[in-house]
Structure formats: C-alpha cells, structure tokens
C-alpha cells in the first residue's frame, strides 16, 4: 500500500513521530540495522527506509515505513533527511513511554548501557539527578564525586586545584609551560618578565616622565616571548587601563602566543569593554587555535562564562564547532546559597518576649495593649533584630542559553530553538549529506 502526501502536511497525521497509516495484512516489517528519518517542515517525523528514485525526479521522496507501508512525500514539505541506527529509534520509543520518575529513568539508563548507547544513557542519568540531585549512583555513573558538600566531576576537581589536562594527564599550569617550551624560550620569557614588571611600576608611579617612558616601552613590544610576562603582569591587574593596554599590545604581537591571554580576557574579564576589545582583536587575526579555549569554556560551571564562550565562537568559530554548541544549548548549573533555616521560627509570647530571644515589649506599648488601645494589634521593630539561623543549600538550575542559540543560528542558518534532539538530527543529516534536499524552483 502507498500513500502520497502533497501540499501542506497536517502534523496531526503523526503521533509521537510514527506515521499513522493502514498496513497491508501480512506486510513484512523492515528490520534494518539503520533507518532513515524524514523531518517535516510543519512538524512530525517519518521513519523507515528511503526508496531510491532512479528516474532522477527531485519533486518527491518515497519511504517504506518500519511497519511496511509506503509513503511518497512532496519534497517541499521535507526539512531534512538523516540516517541513524535502529536501536536509537527503539530508545526514543521507550523514552516517550517512560514515566518521569527516578526509578523509570534508571531502568531506561540500564537498558541504554546494555545496548551501548552512551549519550542516551547519560541523558537518562541527567534526568535522574534533576529529580534527585543527591542520587549517589547516578552521580557516580556520570563521573561525579562529592567534595565539600558539592558534586563535582574529576575535571572540575582538578581545575579547582589548579591543574589542566595535557595529552591525557593532569599537570599544573607551571608544569604545562615547561612542557610546551624549551629552555631558550623560558630564558627569553624570564628576561622580558623582569623588564615588563619594571615598566609597569613606572606606569603606576607618580613621576610623569617614568609614566610616559614605561607606557611607550610596553606599547613598543612585538616579541612573542613577552606574551607570558604581559599576561602575568597585566591580565589580572585591578587597574582597568593596564588591562586595556594588554589588549592593544597583544594585538601587535604576531603568532599564536597572544591567543590564550586574549581568549581569557574575552571570557573572564569583569569589564565588558575589555571583553569586547579582546574578542575583536581575535577576529582580526587567524584565531583558529583559540577556538579550543572557547569550546572548553562551554562546559564551565558558571553559566555566564558559557554564554560568553558561545558569543566568542559566534565571532571566531566555524561550522566545526556546531556539535559542541548543540551540547551547550541547555546546561545545568549548581548554585550555593544561604537561606534561613526553616526550623527557626519566631513569634510573640504571652509574656511579651519575642521568640524566646529576650526582647520585651516597651512598657507603654504593653500597657496600651492591655488597655485595648490597639484593637488591630501592633508591630514592634526591636532595636536589635533577632539572629536567624542560616544554612547553605545547593540549588540546581537548568539554563536555556540564548547566546548558544544565536551562535548556532549564525553558523548554520537554521533554527530549531532549544530542541537539542532536532539539532543533532539535522547536523547528522548535514554532515553525512544523506538528506539535504535541493530547493524546488
């Protein structure tokens, strides 16, 4: 049996992504290892096996559904076509039928593990910890460890302790510099650091001549060996003018060494003008090697840094960063906040004291209450407010990152909102070139 769909497609024809059509009695079901998926422009999906059209016509596409039915679609109604393993189809069917409970998501995560579906398994475990943030088994499966009352991944723990990953192992920042540089480079950097420290002292002095000479010396630097000293002396300096000077100086230095400090300024500097100037400096040079710093920042525990990283990738990135941006469309962040302890309650007692804290009503107010002069009651603000017990709690919040979406829209000229699944489906089809349809004139 075949069904031809032409003109606007009513999404109501499709439920849960499966096509509702009568099937021929005894029609054989498809059991391929992979299945094609057609995403319709007006909503809905059709899964099955595309039928090759040897006539060369591009006005329609035919697909045999997983149940054996045949559907022919007007190509103008198709958003994209992609191919993926059949086990993914089964996972999505199971996921739609899974109750939003800890037990149900754990069960589906275990099914994913047995079927070697790593990403879907992590998605189910993330749903578990969203429902139960302190679920130890789910946290452990995702690589978290509890440190100082906060769940952290190994990478987060090591970064917090000042270590970075280098060729698969963790090293300190100082060790990283030693690994990446030879002795001659280190000696040249040390010489520059001494000069730069002296010139910064001159710039901050009260002597106008020293100020001018120090500024001119820094502005004249063009040697890449000076980058490390400039970044150490100026990168975190509380003086806004010195951080701005760092940006303009790094702009003139050739090579890749200025990329890291410029990226750090664009991501972390507290002043917007500095961040914008650093990002502009990156756009004016070959910043392809700086992209890695912004990709790493998409995983930052601070949502603010995630948003800045996306803005940076929008400016200097290319389509190769699309998968990382898709992963960062929606991110979860934990916040530690101080809140009043719910067990602390306060009220006026019959003897005039407040919450047992020893605060007594003023004599004239107490006499007035007894005489009935305040029929509607009275509010008394004590000169010393009672101490309220406080406690620190962890609050998990899921962010839809607008800067990430804007970067995706710019780099792909597509818009699937915050639907990560649709973005991944489209990206697979685009990358594999299995279903991008030419425009119909």
């Amino acid at each position: 049996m075949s069904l031809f769909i032409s003109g606007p497609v009513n999404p109501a024809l499709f439920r849960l992504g499966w096509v509702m059509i009568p099937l021929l009695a005894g029609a054989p079901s498809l059991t391929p290892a992979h299945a094609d998926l057609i995403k319709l422009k007006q909503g809905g999906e059709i899964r099955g096996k595309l039928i090759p059209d040897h006539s060369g016509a591009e006005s329609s596409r035919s697909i045999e559904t997983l149940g054996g039915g045949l559907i022919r679609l007007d190509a103008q109604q198709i958003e994209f076509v992609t191919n993926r393993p059949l086990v993914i189809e089964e996972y999505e069917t199971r996921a739609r039928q899974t109750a939003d409970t800890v037990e149900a998501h754990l069960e589906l995560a275990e099914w994913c593990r047995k079927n070697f579906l790593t990403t879907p398994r992590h998605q189910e475990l993330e749903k578990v910890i969203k429902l139960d943030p302190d679920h130890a088994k789910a946290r452990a499966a995702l690589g978290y460890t509890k440190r100082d009352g906060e769940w952290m991944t190994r990478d987060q723990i090591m970064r917090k302790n000042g270590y970075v990953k280098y060729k698969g192992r963790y090293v300190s920042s100082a060790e990283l510099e030693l690994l990446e540089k030879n002795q001659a480079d280190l000696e040249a950097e040390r010489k520059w650091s001494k000069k730069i420290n002296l010139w910064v002292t001159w710039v901050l002095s009260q002597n106008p001549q020293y100020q001018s000479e120090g500024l001119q010396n820094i502005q004249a630097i063009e040697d890449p060996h000076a980058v490390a000293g400039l970044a150490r002396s100026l990168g975190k300096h509380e003086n806004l003018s010195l951080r701005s000077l760092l940006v303009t100086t790094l702009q003139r230095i050739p090579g890749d060494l200025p990329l890291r400090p410029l990226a750090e300024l664009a991501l972390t500097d507290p002043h917007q003008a500095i961040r914008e100037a650093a990002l502009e400096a990156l756009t004016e040079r070959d910043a392809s090697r700086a992209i890695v710093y912004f990709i790493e920042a998409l995983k930052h525990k601070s949502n603010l840094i995630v948003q800045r990283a996306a803005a940076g990738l929008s400016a200097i990135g290319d389509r190769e960063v699309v998968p990382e941006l898709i992963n960062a469309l929606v991110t979860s962040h934990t916040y530690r906040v101080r809140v009043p302890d719910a067990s602390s309650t306060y009220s006026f007692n019959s003897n005039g004291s407040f919450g047992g804290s020893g605060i007594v009503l003023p004599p004239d107010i107490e006499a007035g209450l007894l005489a009935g002069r305040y029929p509607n009651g009275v509010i008394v603000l004590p000169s010393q407010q009672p101490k309220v017990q406080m406690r620190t709690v962890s609050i998990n919040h899921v962010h839809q990152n607008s800067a990430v979406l804007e970067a995706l829209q710019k780099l792909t000229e597509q818009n699937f909102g915050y639907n990560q699944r649709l973005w991944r489906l489209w990206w697979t089809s685009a990358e594999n070139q299995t279903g991008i349809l030419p425009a119909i004139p």
Side-chain angles (χ1 to χ4, degrees), residues 34 127 132 210 260 276 284 325 341 357 365 371 382 386 416 435:
H34 289 74
K127 293 175 184 178
D132 182 3
Y210 280 176
R260 182 194 290 269
E276 291 177 348
E284 293 174 353
L325 287 169
D341 193 330
S357 59
I365 298 296
F416 300 109

Side-chain angles (χ1 to χ4, degrees), residues 82-378:
T82 188
N83 179 274
R84 59 184 185 167
L86 196 59
V87 69
I88 295 294
E89 306 292 344
E90 185 176 354
Y91 161 71
E92 293 199 347
T93 300
R94 288 173 177 266
R96 288 192 293 267
Q97 299 169 352
T98 297
D100 193 23
T101 65
V102 169
E103 294 75 15
H105 289 303
L106 281 175
E107 182 178 349
L108 184 53
E110 178 61 15
W111 180 88
C112 292
R113 184 188 68 80
K114 292 179 179 178
N115 286 275
F116 308 102
L117 298 179
T118 302
T119 299
R121 177 174 181 252
H122 286 177
Q123 292 172 354
E124 295 303 318
L125 292 172
E126 290 286 355
K127 293 175 184 178
V128 170
I129 63 175
K130 183 179 179 181
L131 294 169
D132 182 3
D134 285 322
H135 196 286
K137 289 185 178 180
R139 286 285 187 179
L142 289 170
Y144 286 89
T145 303
K146 203 164 192 177
R147 293 290 179 90
D148 301 324
E150 182 180 356
W151 288 104
M152 304 175 69
T153 64
R154 175 168 172 77
D155 284 348
Q156 290 172 334
I157 292 172
M158 298 304 289
R159 281 198 299 269
K160 187 175 181 179
N161 292 330
Y163 291 88
V164 294
K165 220 168 193 178
Y166 178 78
K167 295 184 178 180
R169 67 187 183 96
Y170 292 98
V171 298
S172 67
S173 298
E175 186 180 357
L176 178 63
E177 289 189 3
L178 292 173
L179 291 170
E180 291 183 334
K181 299 168 186 175
N182 58 39
Q183 189 60 37
D185 290 333
L186 292 172
E187 183 60 31
E189 286 187 0
R190 280 193 287 267
K191 291 180 179 179
W192 270 113
S193 291
K194 292 180 181 179
K195 295 179 183 178
I196 292 167
N197 288 336
L198 176 63
W199 295 338
V200 169
T201 303
W202 289 358
V203 171
L204 296 175
S205 72
Q206 300 299 317
N207 187 313
Q209 182 177 348
Y210 280 176
Q211 289 178 357
S212 177
E213 187 174 347
L215 181 61
Q216 290 177 8
N217 289 339
I218 293 175
Q219 289 176 329
I221 295 175
E222 294 183 353
D223 187 347
H225 290 108
V227 169
L230 286 167
R232 279 193 295 267
S233 297
L234 306 178
K236 300 295 183 181
H237 204 286
E238 62 182 10
N239 189 302
L240 178 64
S241 297
L242 286 181
R243 302 203 308 276
S244 179
L245 176 62
L246 173 61
V247 175
T248 56
T249 303
L250 291 175
Q251 280 181 290
R252 292 188 299 272
I253 298 177
D256 292 335
L257 290 178
L259 298 180
R260 182 194 290 269
L262 283 172
E264 290 178 352
L265 287 169
L267 288 166
T268 64
D269 195 276
H271 201 278
Q272 182 178 354
I274 299 294
R275 297 196 304 270
E276 291 177 348
L279 186 56
E280 183 178 354
L282 286 170
T283 62
E284 293 174 353
R285 61 197 301 158
D286 179 9
S288 57
R289 291 191 61 182
I291 290 176
V292 63
Y293 307 128
F294 291 88
I295 290 177
E296 179 65 23
L298 288 175
K299 306 172 187 175
H300 201 277
K301 64 180 181 179
S302 167
N303 185 256
L304 185 62
I305 300 298
V306 172
Q307 299 274 26
R308 292 174 183 172
L313 290 172
S314 177
I316 68 171
D318 52 33
R319 285 171 61 94
E320 295 299 319
V321 305
V322 166
E324 285 77 14
L325 287 169
I326 293 173
N327 290 336
L329 256 180
V330 180
T331 54
S332 178
H333 300 267
T334 301
Y335 301 90
R336 302 278 288 173
V337 297
R338 296 278 291 172
V339 298
D341 193 330
S343 63
S344 301
T345 57
Y346 299 86
S347 61
F348 280 102
N349 298 324
S350 58
N351 65 354
S353 64
F354 182 68
S357 59
I359 298 177
V360 180
L361 292 175
D364 56 333
I365 298 296
E366 185 175 7
L369 285 171
L370 293 173
R373 292 202 299 269
Y374 307 109
N376 297 320
V378 63

Side-chain angles (χ1 to χ4, degrees), residues 402-418:
S402 59
V404 177
L405 181 58
E406 291 172 5
L408 280 170
Q409 291 172 335
K410 176 182 176 182
L411 295 175
T412 68
E413 298 183 352
Q414 301 289 328
N415 184 10
F416 300 109
Y418 295 100

